[in-house]
Amino acid sequence: MNLSPVFGLFPDTTNEVQDLLDKAIARSLPLEATDHLGVVSRLWPISDQHIASQVASLMGPKPIFIADGHHRYETALRYFEDQQTAGEATGEDPPQGFILMMLVGMSDPGLLILPTHRLVSGLPGLTSDRVVSLLSPHFSIETIGKGDRAASDAWELIEAEGTQNVLGFGTTADGAWHLARLHDSAPMAKLAAAHSADWKELAVSVLHVLVLDHLVPTQLGAKPTCRYVHLLREVTDAMAAKSCDLAVLVPPATMGHVESIAGNLEKMPPKSTYFYPKLLSGLVFNPLRSH
């Protein structure tokens, strides 16, 4: 059985697909399941073949962007190939040739992209002065302050700015926070020459390609490692526990970035999007055998 759906996005600016489904379930009661975090998932089965055919017709020409689960998708392709080689996947439409997916319109107001912040280790004793010196040739630096309040202020400023041009850097050694705004894009043009302009402009691309993979190794002689968190409290807790040397606040990519970059047949940078809400595994079962 395939239990965990791939999270797919599709363009639906006029909500034609969702409107059709909403009308189909208007008088139906959902099945409900509550997970270990208290999140409630609701499922409305639709058995009307006319509705299913209409939805399939509308979806046919639309591209699908994988928001979460590309490893599951690639595994499913490999599984199908292995089943074909073993003579198990036969017939016109064998069940091994399909994978469970949840498809959500990219304009759905209930779909959120949350940030994924970085907790960087491997830079013991790194101070704010050293970070400023490291970044200054390519970034304009704004000093915010020290402690949890400064972390909160930095994030509020990043959210208010609403661009991909700014990152927040906090150093555990002295608890200081700075905002860094990229003013020199020449290094990204060289270091990420194979990627599109949209990809190179992402804050997460700038952080990893320019800062962590280039400036830190060449200027500090270090090879940093990252952990990923989504909440500001997780960032400040990690700094208080001294479980990282550097914390970086990263603005989330937008749906427009996902569409333009994926539409250019590029993969988004790792951990650049965190789509919410997450899908519940086991809510729907997809059989992979016909018997």
Side-chain angles (χ1 to χ4, degrees), residues 128 131-132 135-136 139-145 150 153-154 157-158 161 166-170 176-182:
S128 59
V131 170
V132 170
L135 299 176
S136 290
F139 295 82
S140 299
I141 308 299
E142 177 184 350
T143 300
I144 304 300
D153 290 344
L157 289 168
I158 291 172
E161 196 155 312
V166 59
L167 294 160
F169 289 86
W177 280 93
H178 295 82
L179 292 184
R181 294 178 177 85
L182 184 69

Side-chain angles (χ1 to χ4, degrees), residues 38 45 72 110 120 125 136 156 159 168 222-223 236 239 259 266 286:
R72 273 166 280 168
V120 185
S136 290
E156 287 181 6
E159 286 190 303
K223 293 183 178 180
T236 55
M239 293 181 71
E259 188 167 9
E266 285 182 287
N286 176 46

Side-chain angles (χ1 to χ4, degrees), residues 25-84:
I25 65 172
R27 297 177 181 273
S28 303
L29 292 176
L31 305 173
E32 290 192 356
T34 304
D35 68 14
H36 65 293
L37 297 175
V39 177
V40 178
S41 294
R42 296 183 177 91
L43 175 70
W44 287 263
I46 297 175
S47 57
D48 187 325
Q49 289 302 308
H50 179 64
I51 297 295
S53 295
Q54 285 183 286
V55 170
S57 178
L58 290 172
M59 290 296 297
K62 293 181 182 292
I64 293 174
F65 303 93
I66 295 179
D68 188 20
H70 65 277
H71 289 125
R72 273 166 280 168
Y73 177 72
E74 292 168 358
T75 299
L77 291 176
R78 177 64 183 272
Y79 175 71
F80 182 40
E81 293 170 358
D82 289 349
Q83 288 287 289
Q84 285 181 309

